[in-house]
Amino acid sequence: MHRSVATDKLFRMVRKLALALALVASTSVVLAGTPANAWSPPGTPGATGAGDPYYPLDGNGGYDVKHYDLALKYAPATDVLAGAVTIRATATQRLSAFNLDLDGLTIRSITVDGRSAKWSRAGTELTVTPRASLSKGHTFDTRIVYDGVPKVIHDPYLGDGGAFTTDDGVIILGEPDVAQAWYPSNDHPSDKASFSIALTVPKDLQAISNGVPDGRRTSKGWTTWRWEQREPMATYLAMAAIGKFDVKSYEKNGIRFVDAIDPALPPETYARVAKSFAREPEMLRFLSGYFGPYPFRASGGIVDADGEWDYALENQSRPIYTPQDFANQEDGDSVVVHELTHQWYGDSVAVQNWRDIWLNEGFATYAEWLWSEHEGLGTVQQNFDRLYATPATASLWKAKVADPGAPNLFISAVYNRGAMTLQALRLNVGDKKFFSILRTWAQSQRNGNGSTEEFTALAERISGKDLSALFTTWLYTPSKPANPA
Ligand code: ARG
Ligand code: ZN
């Protein structure tokens, strides 16, 4: 919210008075014999991290982002991304300075509430010092003008994320902390916000992003594509897909579907992608039968023929897939079900900390098993049994699923043993209670976050059972549990 001019004046008067009082106070301190400090504005700097044990520098403290407005122009000839992000946030403490996360790129200017601010950078931490401190509860707009070629962040354990140039554009995606490779942000899932994303590209290209399309305008050979993601979104789930796509946009069951398929795909792959995407409304209906209403007003999917990343990602309302995900029809359908399930578990209910990742991947894998059963391709129990048959020495049994360690966020045990944990829970509490737990989890944490502790507490509350032994065994003990069947 903006203060009126009159309130602003009053604020300045009060601040002057406070300054005068502070000077008097510091003078008396000097008289008392303590060394005088150089005057610094009241308030303290926000923390440099959100407190994630795996990624201590991800996110920041002292404020809560409400909205990101991204207005970026992409030039394929140079791969330069240039523009501005405006971040509306509310101070949760009196702030003398605050941090944003940004990896690479060149900052041209920063303003806070329209007045130029000082800033400095150290590694991925950007420190912004406004002219005057920001009082607790004050909602302020930080506008950062910047440009550069966004990088690919290479992670030896997790794989690559960031901006992948393609034959005709760029795809920007990644997990867990690559938002900072393309826009300054409070880059941790615990601080979700709504997004407006405007991408300006040469007029022969498409620019797809999250949420509902909000029109496009062409002028002097460039087209600006506007996207609105109103429901709160974790920073890593924002994406940009720029290139030549066949775009299909339609509304069904009150949801805006936008699918973008690269016409350069081999025809057989293209056909399989189109067939899987055509089933998205049916898949959402199937999944909402278990999890409750679909949480967003938009959906869809994106496949580019090119690109060097090797995973599908659950970008909010519009996942991105690789051509390899569609090597055959069943696997293609299954990965689409997986990423659509993340819309409930992962996106709408985001992890509180990254160690909670099984709440995303275990649930999405479990949904693949539900779909497999529905399609007559093998029951949930058969999927469980196939994995349970793995020898006790296998890596599946060596992981601590609910605290796998940062390098192991995406190891297969997080997916498979995570899903097995849910089946062990189902066998213990029965179908009715089990599906009530899944549904209540999605609904009670909707548009928010959730931790493993909150999930296990919910499961105990709904089942009326002490489940500590079950969860300790399946989530925290690095050995093969007894067969619950
Ligand atoms: N969350 C993605 C999925 O749906 C996987 C992301 C893998 N990320 C990575 N950096 N390797 O399974
Ligand atoms: Zn997943």
Side-chain angles (χ1 to χ4, degrees), residues 142-156:
T142 306
R143 181 177 156 86
I144 299 125
V145 178
Y146 67 102
D147 57 67
V149 178
K151 61 166 124 178
V152 171
I153 299 174
H154 298 284
D155 186 313

Side-chain angles (χ1 to χ4, degrees), residues 369-414:
W369 298 357
L370 291 169
W371 179 258
S372 158
E373 184 163 322
H374 166 77
E375 292 282 286
L377 298 168
T379 65
V380 172
Q381 188 60 42
Q382 282 166 344
N383 275 283
F384 178 93
D385 292 341
R386 175 179 53 82
L387 287 166
Y388 191 79
T390 317
T393 51
S395 60
L396 180 63
W397 310 119
K398 295 204 178 107
K400 282 193 189 175
V401 176
D403 193 6
N408 304 321
L409 279 186
F410 302 113
I411 58 171
S412 60
V414 167

Side-chain angles (χ1 to χ4, degrees), residues 153 155 157-161 174-178 236-237 310-314 320 335 338-339 342 354 357 360-361 364-365 368 409-410 415:
I153 299 174
D155 186 313
Y157 300 103
L158 303 182
D160 299 345
E175 184 184 11
D177 54 356
V178 300
Y236 80 95
L237 295 169
D310 59 1
Y311 48 85
L313 190 65
E314 61 267 27
I320 299 177
V335 74
H338 180 111
E339 304 310 332
H342 277 312
W354 283 110
I357 188 69
N360 296 4
E361 303 307 345
T365 304
E368 291 184 60
L409 279 186
F410 302 113
Y415 291 70

